Amino acid sequence: MTVASTVPNGIHELTVLDGNQSSRANLQLVFFYQTKNGNLRQQMSMRMRMAFYEAMSHYPIVYGKLQRQEQAVRVVVSDDSQDKLKPRYDEYDVTERVADIAAAHYNWALWPKELLSVCPVRPPYGSTAELPLMHVVMTWHPDGLGFLVSIDHSVVDGIGLGTIVNQWASIVRKGRILLPVDADHATVYQELVGSVKEPQGGWFYDYVDSLPEVEPAAIAGKKLDDNTAISDMDLRAPQQVELALRQNTHAMRMTPEAMKKLLDDSPQPASAIRLAYALLWQRYIAAMATSANSRDQMCLINVIHSSRHLVDRPCYVGNAVCPVYSQRALDDLLKSPISVVANDIGQNMHAVTGSQWLAFAQMLNDPVRQAKFYTIFANPSALQLTISNISRVPYFDVNFGFGAPSHVTLYPMVIPGFSAWLPLSPEGGLHIMWNLPERVFNVLKQDPELTRYVEVLF
């Protein structure tokens, strides 16, 4: 187990594993805890703050700023003399009760304003507005605690952030970290490249290559519905982007009982999670499609998978992701039973192979192909559903000594057409954050095929 007592200066190279090379969106997780301890802050505040910085000292990549080098290679430059770039930690006493927020299904309309104070959209790389790569906001409630963890998504993904937060909690609770420290981005990339002989992209990569080239000038200044990349080419201020995205982010849930019912109702054997994929994909496309769409138009589902298993590094904190796509013609998708669609998804979606990962890496290394890919990725007009399923990440294990979280969610900003699936409770179920056009949301919340299993919260 690696132990770093100080934060070393250095350059930490990021790789194509580390997400969209032009993305400016932070990953932001929010945890709520309900307790009966009215003196929680007095007892825990200093202890949690000190444990946070001790935990982060093991991950020097979060101490620094992003820079571009030659050939658009991005690095994190860390310098312990630049105090303003170290992870930021703010605390507030608030009057809102966690119980009241819970009664409203954790709708952010009832959150304290402090939890909504960190804009998830970063300034363009290389600008003078340097912000810490990581920012934590603690809100001490009369009946508990809430906290936001915001981190640049090119440094850490949802699984990695779960690891980091659990390391923090283990220091508070046990006095030491309990998981191996694994933040070496470059060696993961080298291990993967060295273990794969040939890329094997399949039909989706042929489809991307068939698309017309995208001129950067044609992307700049477009409305967010038409351009899903929150990039340096987006001319709006970060707060404008945030508000545009937040207003279309909705919450739904599937309880463990609803998932069992979905499984019991299926006439063919299929896993509950694939049945959920199929259900939401079919009902979403049914709501999205209009008379302008041809019946044989290709509809896509993209479930973002982890690549960690390829190098046996489960505690790696970087962005080890790879999209896996399945397709179905519009008319066929809408007429097929959910169980048939689920089994078709199962045949096309499985653990990422090294050859698939290499095909994705090569695509992101090519600026022309990368630009084409982002005209599809999370683009509602492409009749596509994108799912980031982090429902198996042990977020409910984040115990600081006063119990498991009562709720774990994302900051209310998800890019158009994108859904994030989190665990609903320690017992299972799904908490789904989904950015939807208002027209589509109004159709879905009245769709009996969906609401038989999915509760639309807001």
Side-chain angles (χ1 to χ4, degrees):
M1 183 176 294
T2 304
V3 176
S5 58
T6 60
V7 178
N9 299 340
I11 296 178
H12 310 275
E13 182 176 345
L14 301 178
T15 73
V16 292
L17 278 175
D18 302 310
N20 179 358
Q21 296 191 23
S22 65
S23 176
R24 288 165 52 196
N26 275 13
L27 173 62
Q28 297 189 315
L29 279 173
V30 180
F31 294 73
F32 286 98
Y33 297 78
Q34 279 187 267
T35 73
K36 296 180 180 179
N37 184 350
N39 297 316
L40 190 64
R41 177 168 188 176
Q42 290 86 337
Q43 295 174 5
M44 300 297 298
S45 173
M46 184 58 68
R47 187 175 170 186
M48 291 183 70
R49 177 187 288 267
M50 293 177 65
F52 171 77
Y53 282 109
E54 181 180 344
M56 292 313 105
S57 72
H58 297 272
Y59 298 97
I61 199 167
V62 303
Y63 284 77
K65 62 181 179 180
L66 286 170
Q67 287 186 355
R68 280 199 178 99
Q69 294 189 333
E70 294 180 3
Q71 299 178 343
V73 172
R74 291 185 307 153
V75 298
V76 174
V77 179
S78 61
D79 183 350
D80 58 10
S81 68
Q82 298 188 46
D83 190 63
K84 67 179 180 179
L85 296 179
K86 77 176 184 179
R88 182 172 169 180
Y89 190 102
D90 296 325
E91 296 180 83
Y92 302 93
D93 285 311
V94 298
T95 58
E96 292 87 351
R97 296 181 60 83
V98 176
D100 295 333
I101 298 172
H105 304 301
Y106 294 92
N107 190 324
W108 47 85
L110 275 73
W111 291 11
K113 65 181 185 301
E114 290 81 2
L115 280 180
L116 296 167
S117 63
V118 182
C119 181
V121 186
R122 301 181 65 82
Y125 296 139
S127 72
T128 56
E130 293 178 353
L131 299 174
L133 294 179
M134 188 173 190
H135 191 163
V136 170
V137 174
M138 309 286 291
T139 52
W140 299 95
H141 301 251
D143 60 343
L145 168 70
F147 71 85
L148 164 76
V149 182
S150 176
I151 192 165
D152 191 290
H153 207 340
S154 60
V155 175
V156 171
D157 63 11
I159 298 175
L161 187 52
T163 297
I164 286 179
V165 176
N166 266 301
Q167 299 279 53
W168 172 24
S170 70
I171 292 177
V172 176
R173 195 175 69 254
K174 298 286 189 179
R176 59 189 177 87
I177 58 174
L178 299 178
L179 299 171
V181 173
D182 188 356
D184 188 343
H185 292 219
T187 60
V188 169
Y189 182 75
Q190 291 162 6
E191 286 180 44
L192 280 166
V193 171
S195 64
V196 181
K197 294 182 179 179
E198 294 290 337
Q200 187 175 7
W203 67 268
F204 176 71
Y205 294 87
D206 293 339
Y207 172 60
V208 170
D209 290 337
S210 72
L211 297 173
E213 290 191 19
V214 181
E215 290 290 336
I219 295 176
K222 276 194 174 183
K223 293 181 180 179
L224 201 66
D225 284 349
D226 300 320
N227 168 38
T228 60
I230 307 171
S231 70
D232 293 349
M233 293 180 289
D234 194 317
L235 303 180
R236 293 168 299 171
Q239 288 77 11
Q240 291 178 297
V241 179
E242 175 192 4
L243 293 175
L245 292 171
R246 192 196 298 180
Q247 66 183 0
N248 284 336
T249 301
H250 299 279
M252 304 179 189
R253 71 181 177 192
M254 292 186 71
T255 64
E257 295 76 17
M259 295 192 72
K260 183 178 184 302
K261 177 175 173 53
L262 180 63
L263 190 63
D264 291 343
D265 289 349
S266 174
Q268 298 181 27
S271 72
I273 193 64
R274 285 174 179 161
L275 286 166
Y277 291 161
L279 173 67
L280 269 69
W281 183 28
Q282 185 192 71
R283 305 324 303 159
Y284 174 60
I285 297 301
M288 281 288 299
T290 68
S291 57
N293 299 113
S294 64
R295 307 316 292 177
D296 60 351
Q297 180 170 342
M298 181 170 61
C299 303
L300 304 173
I301 181 171
N302 166 27
V303 180
I304 299 172
H305 285 58
S306 171
S307 305
R308 285 168 171 77
H309 63 281
L310 295 173
V311 288
D312 192 25
R313 292 171 68 168
C315 294
Y316 173 65
V317 301
N319 214 335
V321 297
C322 181
V324 180
Y325 278 84
S326 187
Q327 63 172 319
R328 213 171 179 92
L330 174 60
D331 200 48
D332 184 32
L333 175 61
L334 298 186
K335 291 180 178 178
S336 296
I338 292 299
S339 58
V340 172
V341 177
N343 282 316
D344 185 57
I345 289 173
Q347 292 176 5
N348 289 279
M349 289 187 172
H350 42 73
V352 175
T353 66
S355 296
Q356 283 178 312
W357 173 84
L358 185 58
F360 180 55
Q362 289 183 351
M363 181 175 67
L364 288 188
N365 265 331
D366 183 327
V368 173
R369 299 179 74 207
Q370 185 194 78
K372 291 181 179 182
F373 170 66
Y374 284 112
T375 65
I376 304 170
F377 178 73
N379 182 356
S381 62
L383 290 188
Q384 175 191 249
L385 171 62
T386 294
I387 297 171
S388 176
N389 182 4
I390 48 178
S391 63
R392 293 184 179 180
V393 180
Y395 295 126
F396 283 95
D397 289 350
V398 180
N399 183 346
F400 293 93
F402 41 83
S406 57
H407 189 64
V408 182
T409 188
L410 290 175
Y411 188 95
M413 190 205 81
V414 183
I415 59 179
F418 191 100
S419 64
W421 298 25
L422 294 95
L424 179 64
S425 71
E427 291 73 38
L430 296 169
H431 168 59
I432 300 170
M433 300 282 287
W434 200 352
N435 190 293
L436 296 163
E438 199 62 24
R439 175 188 68 82
V440 174
F441 174 68
N442 289 331
V443 172
L444 285 175
K445 69 182 181 181
Q446 299 177 41
D447 180 352
E449 297 296 318
L450 180 78
T451 56
R452 182 177 297 129
Y453 306 102
V454 178
E455 185 177 357
V456 179
L457 300 177
F458 53 85

